[in-house]
Structures are given as structure tokens and as C-alpha cells.
């Protein structure tokens, strides 16, 4: 073990800021990051054991105990469950002979659940040793487990490949792109390097101005004006600056960045280089969620080809800019830009206090622009075709196009590049969903809004329904509060980083209250409590996760109040406490009969 | 007019909240003027002898005796107050809630570092003993609670202000310092 750890640590230059990579390699090598390994890594990096421990314990894909030589991570997010993940879980358990959360006695197969893996349009899906298995059926599960038992290599078990780059020899993945609507900006012809050749002639100031002219606002969800962000960063003091691309894509129901990364990787890298030129940064980091590691070899090769073509490195002999890829390891909060920065630095992905904002104090405390994959892709096109051209599309406050990931109860789940301003009714028609059979659309994921049919006339636009790209169609056959809201609350409380008490505690309490209501034990006041607590959460937490974590409940109360009212009792107080049931286990264990007096 | 009657109890608590009641210092004399105590560790009356106006409870419920006590309080008090973190949320005792009760019993009676004389691993199972609940419950999950006084323990001033407000019908004085914890 000693020698292997030494080699891994040396591979990353004994740099503790590369702890994420070190832990990943150790996890891959030993199937876990044991306490012993933690201590040894700490000694080799000359940092304290708790510094290593706190990073290890933060991320879902780093495990203290062996996760199984074949570690299966089945997605149990809302849409996965809607598409039958429950049945798939049973099939895995039967075939493997262990329950989820367990590893077989021989250490070969481990079954684990995981949050949304960005495959909502081809669920049920699972990751096995980093490879994606989509559209699972019980028969396929049996085949997979049989293969594992024979000791097959996971990669060899993938025999049919998805479309486009998914079939590239460097990817060979069964993932499908499902591009259902090509738009004028992103899913269209694109000449690698054309924009970069233009910017070196324009100069940094003009580039920032062009981005401002386009009116583009961030595509990661918050919608901050990109030109303004770049302007702030370019003016920030200091010679060293960074460009970070946020490809964490953890919001359940969003998978458009995965498709952009697959089909338009160079367009995005070029956008990052343009950003570097504009703000005066010479280093870029692509923060890619661990779930998309199957794209690593392909993306590294794109970077290499761009270096060879002088589109990275010594860019066109005019400026220096290069990019490295940093992988996450299963933590939604790392999509929050400051949590992401902490993670790149090898730490727990706990969001920082803002201000200062990353444009002032970012990666390694240097001025940094953090932008979404789609934002960088769009910038390449904006430079190529001009800000005015871009501004000509969309609505007053949302210029250009948006890539929407649509999943759930519709005939054509997939990605759609549309001009901002389409109504939900139009989107439903586009994705082949019957509006009459649709009880709700979840826009912008769990942290967004659950929209009722009476509001399907609303527009996808920052001034009406803002979104980072997730749209989940919920058919009439679903139990909205159970299948969606409750699942989302589970997600929120799992993913809270735990820094702020309200986010850590209130989400639990709210989830339990929702369960109480679903079990028929709720009272009217519970609804009022839930509304009030969501409001507290939005005001008393540090980052966007906590601020919106009550939304799965508060937006359904707002738009589907009758669903709650049908379930609650109209009394002052009601308790579901059952003394006999609650003493049963302990009485059995100590060997006595319960004696209940009243 | 007869004085309002107050009862108090400590369930799964540490008596710290009761200490905080006593911490109102010389105002305890005013309190005795203002109210009559019934069942309470303060006067050692063990069972209710009459209907009370206010019941103040520290600690949550960890066993069947706690539950019976709490039900008796609800029956015999017009107003019930959860006093302190344990009563409101379960508090420290609720740290066991994530751990199976069997493991807790083992730790307490067999495997804990301070257990040395129980080689036969005898577990307490006499019928007279309270039965352990599967987890520690906050009071409001078992009976209706009218008011909550937060803190661990709540400050003496908070308790005093609350009691005065309740007994005189005036508005409660809630300065920021008495409910701010960090
Ligand atoms: C909990 C949380 C998760 C987030 N996840 C992502 C994400 O996966 N991708 C992303 O681009 N932005 C995400 N964001 C938004 C980022 O903080 C940030 O606003 C964005 O990356 C900025 O890029 P943009 O201006 O190009 O949108 C997330 C925010 C929060 C609070
Ligand atoms: S709001 Fe939640 S996720 Fe965000 S910093 Fe606070 S505890 Fe962490
Ligand atoms: S709230 Fe604090 S002081 Fe009161 S009983 Fe619980 S632990 Fe003791």
C-alpha cells in the first residue's frame, strides 16, 4: 500500500490542492480510502489527517469501506423512480444476492444508490465503475451481473454505442445524445478556432464589450450578465487570474451540459480561452462532475488537439492559456461556484461567504470567472457572429437561445435548443407530451418551480420562468407530492453541506413533516409551518442550495394547495405516536413483555 | 382570587433547565408570591393534587415513564410549555436517534468503557422498569404543546419574562439577547 500511495501522491507533485485526484486514484486502486490510507496520504502530503478525512467524507464516491470491486451506483432521483428504478433495484438485489447499501461477502459486487447522474432522458440508469449503463431492464441487469460474476471488464460489457461522439473510440459509451431540436447558436455548424482568431485581433476590451452587447446571461441558473462578470474580473487587481468552467451539472433533470461536452467540447474550450484572453487569465479549469468521467479520454484528446493547433497553450502565438480537467466526486453543492472552487483546491465543497465574489477572490484567492458550459459555448458563437446577431434572438431580458433538458412523461425526452421565450404549452407540444395528461411541469429542477396546468402559458425566460435547463413533465398518473416533492427533499437534505443550521436541520424536519402529511397524520397547521419554514430557509442560509431547498414543498403548496388540504385533518392537534409500537424493539431485545397501562 | 398553580417536571433532561428556573435569583421570592407550585421537583410534590394553570417541562421522552408523565401533565395543566432544547427537539439524548436501540442498550449495559462487572451481559428487564422507546421524542410529537422556550438551558430572564407575561396577561418582553444562540 505504502509504495502505491507514494506513487499516486508523486503523480500529482505532492500537491495537497490535488487531493481530489489523489483520493480518486486511491479509491480506484483499493476500492476505498481506508482510515489507514487517510493517515498515510496525510503524512506524504505533510498535512494533517483530518484535512484528508474531511475531504474524503464529503464526497459520495469516496468510501471508507470497500465499495465493491464492481461498484454499482443506481440513480434513485425522481425521474429514475418514475421510469422504474425501483424494479431495477430489486433485479440488482436478486441477481447480486445483497441489498442496496451492501457489498457481497466476497467483496465483488457493491450496490449503492446515487443522486441524479445526468441521464434523465434514458433512465433507469446506473454507473458501474464509472461506466454508464442506460435504459436498464431487469433482463439487462441479469446480463450485467452474470458478466460481473464471470469477471468481465465493465467496458467490455458495453456492446452498443450511442450516437455521435458517444461512439468515438475514445468514448465507446451507450449514452445517447437525444438532440431533439437544433437551434441557431449551439447545435449548428461551428468552425473550431474561428472565434479565437477574431479575438486576438479585437483585443480584450472589445471582447468584453462584444459579450456585453450580446446581452448573454449565465446559463448555469442564476442568470448573471456574463459581460459584466468578465468586466469585473478584467478590472480586478493582480496579474494571476483563472477561468473556471462549471460542468458539475448536478441539478436533477439537467443533462444538456453532458450533450454539449460530448458534441461541442472544442467550442466550450474555445469559449474558455476567449474568457482567458478577455480577463487576462492564463489558466483554466474544467470542473467536471465525477459522473461524466467516461468522457475523460475524449476531452483530454480534444485539449491535446487544440494545443497542437495552437488554440491552447501558446494561443496563436499571441497569448498563453491552457486548461486542465478537475473531476468532482458526487456532490451537488460543488455546482455552487464557491463550493466548486473549494473542491478544485482539494477541500470539502462548502460554499464560501459572498462577498467577496469569485471575480475578486476566487480560485487560490485570485480573481476568477466561473461560467457554465453552455455560457462558454455560446460566447464562441457570439464572437464569431457578433453580439448584435445574438441579441436579436429571444426576449428583452433573455437574449439568444437556451438548451433545455426535457425528461419525464413525454414521448421525446432529450435536449432542445430553443430561443428564449417559448411557453410551456409550446414546449409540451415539442416534446410530445399531452397537456391534458400532464398535471405539472417541474421547471429548473428541485430548486425551481412546480408549475400547474393553469400556468402553462408562462414563458421560459429569465423574466418569467428562469431555468438552468431542467424541465420535468409530470403525468396525471403520478403522486405529485410523493414521487416528486418527497424525493426532492431527500435530495436536498443529502446534498446539504451542513454548514448552516437551517439547511442542515430544517430540511430534515420539513421532510418528516411532509411524510407525516402523506401518511395521513398531518393537520392544517403543518401546511402553514412548512410555508413559514421554507421562507426561513430562504433567508437564513449561505448559498443557493439552502435558500431554495424548501421549494419542492413551498412551490407545490402554492400551486397545488388542494393536494395538501385533501390529506390533512382539520384539528388543532394530532399525534401519531404509538407507545406500544415504540417500545417493542427494546422490550424484545432485553427479553420482557411490554406493560402498557392505559 | 387564588394564585395561579404551576407544575414542573424533568423528563429526559439533565435538570439544567430547572437550574435555570432557580437562576432567577431573588426573583424566586416574587415568583412564590405570584404562584402556587403543585407537582414539581421544586417542592417535591410527586402527584397532581389539583388542576394546574401552567405546566413547564424540560427534557423529551426517552422511555415509557416519560410518556406517562407527559400525558398526566397534559391532562392536569391548562397550558403546557416545552422548556429547553431537549423538550423542543430531543436535545442531547436524541443523539442516539440515528443508532439502533439494541446498540444503545449494549453500549450502556455491556460494552461501554465504564462497564466492567457485567460479564454475563445481563440486560435490565424487570417489569417495574420503564421501557425504552425506539428513539427520543420531542414533547410536541406526543401531546399538544402551547409554548416553547428555547435555549440549553433557556436563560433565567427568558423564563421569568415568559412566566410574568403568561400570568399577568401582558405582552412578553423578548429582547434579542435572550433568544440568540451562537
Ligand atoms: C447548489 C447549486 C448548484 C449549482 N450547480 C450548478 C451547475 O451544476 N452548473 C452551473 O453552471 N451552475 C451551477 N450553479 C450556479 C453557479 O453557482 C454559478 O452561478 C454559475 O456556474 C455561473 O455561471 P453562469 O453565469 O455561466 O451561469 C449552482 C448553484 C447552486 C447554488
Ligand atoms: S445553505 Fe446548505 S449547502 Fe449552502 S452553505 Fe449552507 S449548509 Fe451548505
Ligand atoms: S435543554 Fe440543556 S439544560 Fe435543558 S435539560 Fe436539555 S441539556 Fe439540560
Amino acid at each position: 500500500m505504502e509504495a502505491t500511495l507514494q506513487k499516486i501522491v508523486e503523480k500529482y507533485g505532492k500537491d495537497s490542492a490535488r487531493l481530489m485526484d489523489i483520493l480518486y486514484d486511491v479509491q480506484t486502486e483499493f476500492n476505498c480510502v481506508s482510515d489507514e490510507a487517510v493517515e498515510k496520504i496525510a503524512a506524504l502530503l505533510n498535512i494533517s489527517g483530518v484535512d484528508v478525512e474531511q475531504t474524503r467524507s464529503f464526497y459520495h464516491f469516496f468510501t471508507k469501506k470497500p465499495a465493491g470491486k464492481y461498484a454499482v451506483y443506481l440513480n434513485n432521483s425522481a425521474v429514475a423512480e418514475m421510469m422504474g428504478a425501483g424494479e431495477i433495484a430489486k433485479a440488482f438485489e436478486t441477481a447480486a444476492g445483497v441489498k442496496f447499501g451492501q457489498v457481497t461477502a466476497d467483496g465483488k459486487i457493491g450496490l449503492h444508490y446515487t443522486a441524479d447522474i445526468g441521464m434523465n432522458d434514458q433512465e433507469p440508469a446506473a454507473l458501474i465503475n464509472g461506466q454508464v449503463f442506460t435504459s436498464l431492464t431487469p433482463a439487462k441487469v441479469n446480463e450485467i451481473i452474470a458478466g460481473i460474476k464471470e469477471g468481465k471488464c465493465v467496458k467490455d460489457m458495453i456492446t452498443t454505442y450511442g450516437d455521435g461522439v458517444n461512439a468515438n473510440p475514445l468514448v465507446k459509451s451507450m449514452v445517447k445524445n437525444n438532440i431533439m431540436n437544433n437551434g441557431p447558436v449551439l447545435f449548428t455548424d461551428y468552425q473550431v478556432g474561428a472565434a479565437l482568431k477574431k479575438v486576438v485581433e479585437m483585443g480584450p476590451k472589445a471582447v468584453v464589450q462584444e459579450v456585453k452587447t450580446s446581452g448573454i446571461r449565465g446559463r448555469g441558473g442564476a442568470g448573471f450578465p456574463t459581460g459584466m462578470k468578465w468586466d469585473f474580473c478584467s478590472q480586478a487587481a493582480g496579474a494571476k487570474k483563472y477561468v473556471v468552467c462549471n460542468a458539475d451539472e448536478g441539478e436533477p433533470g439537467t443533462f444538456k451540459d453532458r450533450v454539449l461536452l460530448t458534441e461541442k467540447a472544442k467550442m466550450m474550450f474555445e469559449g474558455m480561452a476567449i474568457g482567458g484572453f478577455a480577463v487576462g487569465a492564463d489558466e483554466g479549469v474544467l470542473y467536471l462532475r465525477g459522473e461524466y468521467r467516461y468522457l475523460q479520454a475524449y476531452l483530454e484528446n480534444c485539449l491535446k488537439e487544440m494545443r497542437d493547433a495552437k488554440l491552447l497553450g501558446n494561443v496563436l502565438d499571441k497569448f498563453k492559456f491552457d486548461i486542465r480537467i478537475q473531476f468532482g466526486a458526487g456532490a451537488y453543492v460543488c455546482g455552487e461556484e464557491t463550493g466548486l472552487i473549494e473542491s478544485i483546491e482539494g477541500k470539502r465543497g462548502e460554499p464560501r461567504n459572498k462577498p467577496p465574489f469569485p471575480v475578486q477572490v476566487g480560485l487560490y484567492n485570485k480573481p476568477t470567472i466561473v461560467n457554465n458550459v453552455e455560457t462558454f459555448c455560446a460566447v464562441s458563437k457570439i464572437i464569431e457572429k457578433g453580439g448584435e446577431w445574438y441579441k436579436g434572438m429571444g426576449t428583452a431580458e433573455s437574449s439568444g437561445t437556451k438548451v433545455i433538458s426535457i425528461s419525464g412523461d413525454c414521448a421525446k425526452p432529450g435536449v432542445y435548443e430553443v430561443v428564449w421565450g417559448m411557453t410551456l404549452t409550446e414546449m409540451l407540444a415539442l416534446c410530445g407530451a399531452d397537456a391534458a395528461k400532464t398535471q405539472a411541469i417541474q421547471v429548473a429542477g428541485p430548486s425551481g418551480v412546480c408549475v400547474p396546468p393553469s400556468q402553462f402559458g408562462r414563458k421560459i425566460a429569465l423574466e418569467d420562468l428562469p431555468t438552468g435547463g431542467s424541465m420535468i413533465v409530470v403525468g396525471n398518473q403520478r403522486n405529485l407530492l410523493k414521487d416528486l416533492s418527497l424525493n426532492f427533499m431527500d435530495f436536498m437534505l443529502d446534498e446539504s453541506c451542513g454548514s448552516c443550521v437551517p439547511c442542515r436541520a430544517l430540511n430534515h424536519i420539513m421532510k418528516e413533516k411532509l411524510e407525516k402529511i402523506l401518511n395521513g397524520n398531518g393537520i392544517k397547521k403543518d401546511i402553514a409551518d412548512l410555508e413559514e419554514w421554507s421562507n426561513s430557509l430562504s433567508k437564513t442560509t449561505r448559498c443557493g442550495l439552502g435558500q431554495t431547498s424548501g421549494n419542492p414543498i413551498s412551490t407545490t403548496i402554492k400551486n397545488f394547495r388542494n393536494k395538501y388540504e385533501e390529506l390533512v385533518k382539520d384539528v388543532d392537534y394530532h399525534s401519531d405516536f404509538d407507545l406500544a409500537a415504540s417500545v417493542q424493539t427494546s422490550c424484545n431485545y432485553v427479553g420482557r413483555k411490554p406493560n402498557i397501562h392505559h | 382570587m387564588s394564585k395561579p398553580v404551576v407544575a414542573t417536571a424533568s423528563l429526559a433532561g439533565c435538570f439544567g433547565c430547572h437550574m435555570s428556573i432557580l437562576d432567577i435569583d431573588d426573583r424566586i421570592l416574587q415568583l412564590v408570591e405570584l404562584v402556587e407550585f403543585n407537582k414539581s421537583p421544586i417542592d417535591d410534590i410527586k402527584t397532581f393534587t389539583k388542576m394546574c394553570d401552567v405546566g413547564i417541562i424540560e427534557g423529551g421522552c426517552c422511555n415509557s415513564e416519560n410518556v406517562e408523565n407527559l400525558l398526566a401533565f397534559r391532562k392536569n395543566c391548562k397550558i403546557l410549555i416545552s422548556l429547553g432544547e431537549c423538550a423542543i427537539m430531543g436535545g442531547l439524548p436524541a443523539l442516539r436517534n440515528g443508532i439502533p436501540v439494541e446498540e444503545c442498550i449494549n453500549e450502556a449495559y455491556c460494552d461501554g468503557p465504564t462497564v466492567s462487572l457485567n460479564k454475563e451481559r445481563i440486560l435490565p428487564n424487570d417489569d417495574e422498569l420503564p421501557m425504552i422507546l425506539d428513539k427520543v421524542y420531542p414533547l410536541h410529537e406526543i401531546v399538544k404543546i402551547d409554548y416553547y422556550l428555547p435555549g440549553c438551558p433557556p436563560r433565567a430572564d427568558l423564563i421569568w419574562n415568559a412566566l410574568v407575561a403568561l400570568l399577568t396577561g401582558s405582552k412578553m418582553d423578548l429582547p434579542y439577547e435572550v433568544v440568540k444562540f451562537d
Side-chain angles (χ1 to χ4, degrees):
Chain A
M1 183 187 208
E2 197 88 51
T4 315
L5 291 180
Q6 178 115 24
K7 230 162 89 198
I8 291 172
V9 169
E10 269 162 16
K11 177 173 158 198
Y12 297 103
K14 292 196 166 188
D15 183 358
S16 59
R18 300 297 297 273
L19 192 54
M20 292 290 289
D21 305 283
I22 295 171
L23 293 180
Y24 174 79
D25 284 7
V26 174
Q27 174 82 32
T28 309
E29 188 70 35
F30 299 101
N31 240 312
C32 67
V33 185
S34 65
D35 286 337
E36 194 191 344
V38 164
E39 286 308 322
K40 293 209 161 114
I41 295 166
L44 288 165
L45 289 172
N46 207 11
I47 57 178
S48 76
V50 288
D51 282 336
V52 179
E53 163 66 20
Q54 64 172 349
T55 298
R56 172 191 69 178
S57 63
F58 192 82
Y59 298 90
H60 193 54
F61 296 138
F62 299 148
T63 62
K64 184 170 170 158
K65 297 201 180 116
K69 193 157 167 274
Y70 294 86
V72 177
Y73 285 91
L74 177 68
N75 176 6
N76 65 351
S77 70
V79 171
E81 294 284 353
M82 281 159 65
M83 299 301 141
E87 197 194 347
I88 298 305
K90 280 196 201 113
F92 268 117
E93 289 182 338
T94 314
V98 284
K99 298 262 169 227
F100 269 80
Q102 297 176 340
V103 179
T104 51
D106 59 3
K108 204 163 182 183
I109 310 172
L111 300 182
H112 315 271
Y113 284 118
T114 194
D116 193 289
I117 59 173
M119 301 290 158
N120 257 8
D121 55 340
Q122 39 210 304
E123 290 292 342
L127 293 168
I128 305 177
N129 292 2
Q131 296 298 324
V132 192
F133 289 78
T134 58
S135 306
L136 290 167
T137 59
K140 283 190 197 166
V141 168
N142 288 339
E143 227 173 89
I144 291 169
I145 296 290
I148 288 178
K149 286 183 174 162
E150 282 168 34
K152 276 192 191 163
C153 167
V154 176
K155 190 106 207 182
D156 295 341
M157 291 197 265
I158 299 169
T159 46
T160 52
Y161 306 130
D163 51 335
V165 170
N166 291 299
N168 183 293
L170 292 171
V171 184
K172 285 193 175 170
S173 152
M174 65 167 76
V175 175
K176 292 192 179 118
N177 286 329
N178 291 332
I179 301 171
M180 298 292 174
N181 201 56
N182 290 302
V185 180
L186 301 164
F187 293 119
T188 175
D189 288 340
Y190 153 74
Q191 187 66 44
V192 185
L196 270 173
K197 282 182 191 123
K198 230 169 145 179
V199 293
V200 290
E201 300 305 322
M202 291 163 74
K205 279 213 171 75
V207 173
V208 171
Q209 189 47 52
E210 199 65 39
V211 174
K212 277 189 173 171
T213 304
S214 77
I216 185 172
R217 290 167 58 175
R219 298 298 191 239
F224 191 83
T226 306
M228 203 193 285
K229 184 184 282 188
W230 289 18
D231 200 7
F232 287 148
C233 189
S234 68
Q235 288 174 30
K240 184 73 192 176
K241 292 174 188 175
Y242 291 95
V243 173
V244 172
C245 176
N246 187 344
D248 194 55
E249 193 159 64
E251 186 87 53
T254 316
F255 44 87
K256 48 107 188 165
D257 289 344
R258 187 239 307 151
V259 179
L260 286 169
L261 282 161
T262 307
E263 295 303 323
K264 300 287 170 186
K266 288 185 178 170
M267 189 179 195
M268 180 202 58
F269 288 136
E270 185 165 354
M272 289 177 72
I274 294 168
F277 179 74
V279 304
D282 64 351
E283 269 185 76
V285 179
L286 167 65
Y287 187 89
L288 188 54
R289 64 186 312 209
E291 289 84 343
Y292 295 166
R293 200 178 269 272
Y294 70 98
L295 292 170
Q296 180 174 15
Y298 174 74
L299 293 175
E300 296 282 9
N301 189 58
C302 288
L303 288 175
K304 184 182 166 294
E305 285 175 0
M306 287 179 75
R307 279 180 208 120
D308 292 347
K310 288 213 164 177
L311 296 173
L312 283 177
N314 191 1
V315 186
L316 304 169
D317 294 320
K318 293 277 175 45
F319 71 103
K320 291 204 167 31
F321 187 80
D322 212 333
I323 297 173
R324 80 169 180 89
I325 303 177
Q326 175 64 60
F327 283 94
Y332 165 55
V333 72
C334 288
E336 197 285 335
E337 55 188 5
T338 58
L340 181 142
I341 287 171
E342 289 282 301
S343 183
I344 297 177
E345 293 180 6
K347 296 183 265 184
R348 297 163 66 81
E350 277 182 23
R352 298 173 177 174
N353 277 321
K354 290 193 270 191
F357 291 92
V359 285
Q360 291 130 10
V361 182
L363 185 57
Y364 306 118
N365 294 330
K366 301 285 187 255
T368 303
I369 50 167
V370 182
N371 280 113
N372 175 256
V373 172
E374 189 182 341
T375 312
F376 280 123
C377 286
V379 163
S380 294
K381 205 74 190 176
I382 287 167
I383 296 297
E384 189 196 318
K385 300 254 248 176
E388 288 296 345
W389 166 80
Y390 191 82
K391 184 133 187 76
M393 294 175 282
T395 67
E397 282 182 47
S398 324
S399 60
T401 64
K402 178 79 193 110
V403 186
I404 309 280
S405 334
I406 306 186
S407 62
D409 298 311
C410 61
K412 293 185 286 177
V415 295
Y416 294 75
E417 184 187 356
V418 297
V419 172
W420 283 106
M422 278 185 89
T423 63
L424 292 181
T425 305
E426 289 168 318
M427 298 294 294
L428 282 179
L430 208 56
C431 71
D434 183 347
K437 291 184 182 152
T438 304
Q439 63 170 312
I441 301 175
Q442 183 75 28
V443 178
S447 60
V449 197
C450 191
V451 185
S454 60
Q455 297 177 25
F456 284 176
R458 291 178 65 183
K459 289 181 166 67
I460 300 277
L462 293 161
E463 54 267 52
D464 189 359
L465 284 170
T467 174
S470 166
M471 180 170 153
I472 299 173
V473 182
V474 189
N476 291 340
Q477 72 273 33
R478 310 291 171 189
N479 179 340
L480 189 72
L481 302 189
K482 185 161 173 287
D483 297 345
L484 227 68
S485 311
L486 186 63
N487 182 294
F488 288 164
M489 286 312 288
D490 260 326
F491 172 76
M492 292 294 188
L493 60 94
D494 272 352
E495 299 298 332
S496 162
C497 84
S499 271
C500 318
V501 175
C503 178
R504 185 174 70 221
L506 217 42
N507 280 318
H508 263 281
I509 299 171
M510 287 176 63
K511 182 209 150 192
E512 281 177 8
K513 191 152 259 204
L514 178 59
E515 278 177 325
K516 183 182 163 207
I517 292 175
L518 288 168
N519 291 335
N521 288 311
I523 60 170
K524 265 195 164 164
K525 178 162 183 301
D526 289 330
I527 304 177
D529 284 347
L530 286 170
E531 281 180 301
E532 194 181 323
W533 296 343
S534 293
N535 190 30
S536 304
L537 267 172
S538 69
K539 291 189 179 133
T540 55
T541 47
R542 188 192 301 159
C543 86
L545 191 153
Q547 284 152 17
T548 59
S549 59
N551 285 7
I553 289 178
S554 65
T555 71
T556 43
I557 293 182
K558 184 158 177 248
N559 293 327
F560 298 88
R561 184 174 278 275
N562 61 327
K563 287 198 191 289
Y564 286 86
E565 284 176 346
E566 279 164 14
L567 291 168
V568 299
K569 299 181 202 308
D570 190 7
V571 291
D572 255 10
Y573 180 79
H574 171 79
S575 169
D576 55 344
F577 177 73
D578 178 350
L579 182 58
S582 70
V583 299
Q584 194 65 53
T585 319
S586 74
C587 286
N588 282 349
Y589 191 64
V590 300
R592 67 180 276 193
K593 277 212 177 66
N595 47 342
I596 313 276
H597 301 307
H598 39 255
Chain B
M1 195 184 96
S2 61
K3 289 199 249 178
V5 188
V6 175
T8 76
S10 172
L11 305 181
C14 75
F15 263 97
C17 289
H18 272 76
M19 292 300 142
S20 203
I21 298 179
L22 298 181
D23 215 19
I24 57 179
D25 299 329
D26 55 341
R27 282 172 293 184
I28 193 99
L29 299 174
Q30 284 180 58
L31 185 64
V32 174
E33 287 292 303
L34 212 59
V35 304
E36 171 192 332
F37 277 97
N38 198 268
K39 179 179 156 75
S40 167
I42 292 175
D43 56 14
D44 215 19
I45 298 179
K46 304 274 199 237
T47 47
F48 282 105
T49 55
K50 59 163 104 162
M51 190 67 193
C52 301
D53 295 290
V54 182
I56 303 175
I57 304 190
E58 92 168 45
C61 289
C62 74
N63 64 30
S64 55
E65 189 184 45
N66 294 156
V67 176
E68 279 151 23
N69 237 323
L70 177 61
L71 294 173
F73 263 76
R74 185 67 277 181
K75 212 160 129 194
N76 290 288
C77 302
K78 292 181 198 148
I79 291 170
L80 264 197
I81 302 179
S82 271
L83 179 66
E85 198 49 35
C86 297
I88 297 173
M89 291 281 199
L92 276 186
L95 281 180
R96 80 158 159 98
N97 284 6
I99 303 166
V101 68
E102 297 96 322
E103 266 181 53
C104 297
I105 293 173
N106 279 345
E107 184 70 9
Y109 297 107
C110 308
D111 303 328
T114 56
V115 185
S116 57
L117 296 173
N118 190 8
K119 297 253 161 14
E120 301 85 36
R121 303 181 76 84
I122 297 168
L123 300 178
N125 60 4
D126 193 286
D127 265 355
E128 291 296 308
L129 294 170
M131 296 167 286
I132 309 289
L133 307 185
D134 56 347
K135 59 178 188 178
V136 177
Y137 292 81
L139 303 183
H140 65 268
E141 286 191 10
I142 299 178
V143 299
K144 179 172 195 296
I145 296 293
D146 302 294
Y147 297 100
Y148 301 84
L149 294 178
C152 177
R155 292 203 189 184
D157 288 342
L158 177 66
I159 301 174
W160 173 254
N161 292 354
L163 276 179
V164 169
L166 204 55
L167 298 175
T168 60
S170 53
K171 204 168 166 337
M172 185 168 171
D173 184 21
L174 262 183
Y176 182 62
E177 315 83 77
V178 303
V179 286
K180 156 95 169 61
F181 320 99
D182 239 350

